[in-house]
Amino acid sequence: MGHRRYSEDRPPLPGDGYLEDYTIPFLVMAGILTFILLFVIWAAWGFAAAVGLSVLADRFLFAR
């Protein structure tokens, strides 16, 4: 008695081959979390630390 799950005659599931594009929601949430992180750093160690970390991150991420 074979399982129908592994049958070659089984029709494909609904949405087969379709994948949601979550790029924009990911980028929005990454921006929000970055803002929150910099705000927490600003509250804990001051504005200079937040700006310094932002400049270092910019140099590291966009170094040529």
Side-chain angles (χ1 to χ4, degrees):
M1 177 180 199
H3 293 286
R4 181 152 162 68
R5 176 185 302 180
Y6 302 111
S7 173
E8 293 292 328
D9 299 330
R10 182 177 181 200
L13 294 172
D16 183 40
Y18 178 74
L19 183 63
E20 293 285 337
D21 183 14
Y22 290 110
T23 303
I24 299 299
F26 169 78
L27 292 175
V28 169
M29 286 308 302
I32 291 170
L33 290 174
T34 301
F35 175 78
I36 291 170
L37 175 68
L38 288 173
F39 192 80
V40 167
I41 291 171
W42 182 9
W45 293 295
F47 182 71
V51 170
L53 185 63
S54 298
V55 169
L56 286 175
D58 182 60
R59 299 285 179 167
F60 177 72
L61 292 173
F62 300 108
R64 294 182 190 208

